[in-house]
């Protein structure tokens, strides 16, 4: 009877079917960068609750720098993917919405108890709403070219770095860790949350640097090295200056956007409508 039902043995010459389609390594590299940034954001929360605010701030800043790199690396390697885009958005919510708010809560907002926690929730929710709107706007067709130079509302990395201004001032000797100052920090954090969910245009600078005049190359090198040296030598002075400068440019960005919008509307009004063609 055993000869009638021999055990099954696969053909050794038959090629094995792959369960999963192989993924190019160039697609994996940007996602690794995003995950490293996410690890830094989560580590910043631990450092803050251990009382190590300085490395916590640096971890958030490095995470913001990596956030600006991963997308460019993906486009350079032609490794963009839907998975990477979704992962980047989720990492941005943690790194720039949850982490800075929790760091500020451990720093000074805990003095306000439940009211301080409500500010943390508002900031985090504003960040996730801002990211959701950004993802939806990516699918908007026929967007004018000049609008690509502006964000709608404050971008996520800028919102995180700007929110840490009270900690920068603390390291510069300004008395921030005080129950009387906590309401000012709360109002400041809520103001940033409003800027993120608002429709106020903020200059993005995405088109800067595509082409640089030849006579500007060496000065740009010198200025870049000088700024890097200042940032390393005087980190909190430079971060404070960058934050205040960025906040000061928001009204300028809004005025520039409105001017370009009026010019676009005037140009559309002058152009004649195409003639109707009969059937």
């Amino acid at each position: 009877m055993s000869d009638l039902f021999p055990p099954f043995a696969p053909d050794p010459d038959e090629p094995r079917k792959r369960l999963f389609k192989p993924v190019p390594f160039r697609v994996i590299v940007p996602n690794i960068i995003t995950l490293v940034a996410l690890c830094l954001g989560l580590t910043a929360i631990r450092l803050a609750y251990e009382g190590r605010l300085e490395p916590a701030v640096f971890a958030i800043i490095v995470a913001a720098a990596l956030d600006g790199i991963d997308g460019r690396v993906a486009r350079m390697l032609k490794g963009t993917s839907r998975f990477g885009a979704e992962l980047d958005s989720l990492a941005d919510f943690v790194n720039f919405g949850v982490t800075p708010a929790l760091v500020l809560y451990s720093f000074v907002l805990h003095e306000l108890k439940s009211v301080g926690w409500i500010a943390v929730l508002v900031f985090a929710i504003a960040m996730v709403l801002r990211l959701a709107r950004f993802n939806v706007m990516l699918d908007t067709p026929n967007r004018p070219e000049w609008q690509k130079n502006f964000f709608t509302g404050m971008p996520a990395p800028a919102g995180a770095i700007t929110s840490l201004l009270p900690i920068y001032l603390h390291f510069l000797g300004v008395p921030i860790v005080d129950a009387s100052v906590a309401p000012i920090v709360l109002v400041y954090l809520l103001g940033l949350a409003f800027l993120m969910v608002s429709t106020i245009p903020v200059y993005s600078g995405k088109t800067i640097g595509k082409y640089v005049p030849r006579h500007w190359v060496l000065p740009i090198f010198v200025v870049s090295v000088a700024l890097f040296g200042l940032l390393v030598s005087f980190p909190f002075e430079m971060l404070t200056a960058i934050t205040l400068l960025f906040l000061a440019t928001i009204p300028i960005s809004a005025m520039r956007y409105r001017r370009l919008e009026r010019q676009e509307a005037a140009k559309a009004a002058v152009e004649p409508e195409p003639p109707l063609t009969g059937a």
Side-chain angles (χ1 to χ4, degrees):
M1 292 293 293
S2 61
D3 295 337
L4 295 177
F5 302 99
F8 172 76
D11 186 358
D13 297 329
E14 182 181 357
R16 296 182 61 185
K17 293 182 179 180
R18 293 182 176 179
L19 297 179
F20 301 100
K21 184 179 178 181
V23 179
F25 186 70
R26 56 184 171 82
V27 178
I28 299 176
V29 172
N31 296 327
I32 293 175
I33 297 175
T34 302
L35 291 175
V36 171
L38 180 58
C39 291
L40 286 171
L42 293 172
T43 303
I45 299 175
R46 173 191 172 183
L47 293 172
Y49 279 87
E50 290 178 352
R52 296 186 285 173
L53 281 175
E54 189 169 344
V57 169
F58 292 150
I60 296 173
I61 293 172
V62 174
L66 293 177
D67 177 71
I69 292 174
D70 57 3
R72 288 172 173 81
V73 170
R75 289 188 291 271
M76 182 179 64
L77 298 178
K78 297 181 180 179
T80 56
S81 64
R82 183 66 179 174
F83 175 84
E86 295 297 333
L87 178 63
D88 185 67
S89 293
L90 294 173
D92 286 352
F93 170 59
V94 175
N95 291 340
F96 309 135
V98 176
T99 297
L102 290 178
V103 170
L104 283 172
Y105 184 81
S106 68
F107 173 59
V108 68
L109 289 179
H110 66 275
E111 298 285 350
L112 301 177
K113 302 186 184 302
S114 296
V115 177
W117 182 247
I118 291 173
V120 170
L121 296 178
V122 170
F123 184 84
I125 296 302
M127 181 65 72
V128 76
L129 293 175
R130 189 257 177 276
L131 291 169
R133 182 177 62 188
F134 176 77
N135 291 342
V136 170
M137 291 182 67
L138 290 177
D139 299 328
T140 304
N142 303 325
R143 191 181 181 194
E145 190 67 24
W146 63 270
Q147 288 188 1
K148 296 179 182 179
N149 291 326
F150 297 88
F151 290 115
T152 302
M154 182 180 290
I161 294 175
T162 305
S163 68
L164 299 177
L165 178 62
I167 300 180
Y168 307 155
L169 296 175
H170 165 70
F171 284 111
L172 293 179
V174 179
I176 298 295
V177 186
D178 192 292
S180 61
V181 184
I184 301 175
V185 178
L186 180 140
V187 173
Y188 175 71
L189 192 64
L190 293 178
L192 294 181
F194 167 77
L195 288 176
M196 287 190 295
V197 298
S198 71
T199 57
I200 298 174
V202 178
Y203 190 65
S204 66
K206 288 184 177 181
T207 58
I208 291 179
K210 286 187 176 180
Y211 298 98
V212 178
R214 187 176 297 274
H215 61 279
W216 284 12
V217 173
L218 292 181
I220 288 175
F221 286 161
V222 174
V223 171
S224 300
V225 171
L227 290 176
F228 180 77
L230 288 172
L231 187 60
V232 172
S233 303
F234 308 99
F236 295 107
E237 289 85 351
M238 286 296 295
L239 289 171
T240 301
I242 291 171
T243 298
L244 296 177
L245 181 63
F246 172 75
L247 292 175
T249 60
I250 293 178
I252 300 173
S253 300
M255 289 187 292
R256 175 64 176 168
Y257 184 92
R258 304 305 177 200
R259 187 181 301 113
L260 292 173
E261 195 175 40
R262 289 193 297 268
Q263 291 176 0
E264 183 75 12
K267 182 179 177 181
V270 171
E271 290 180 354
E273 295 183 0
L276 297 176
T277 57

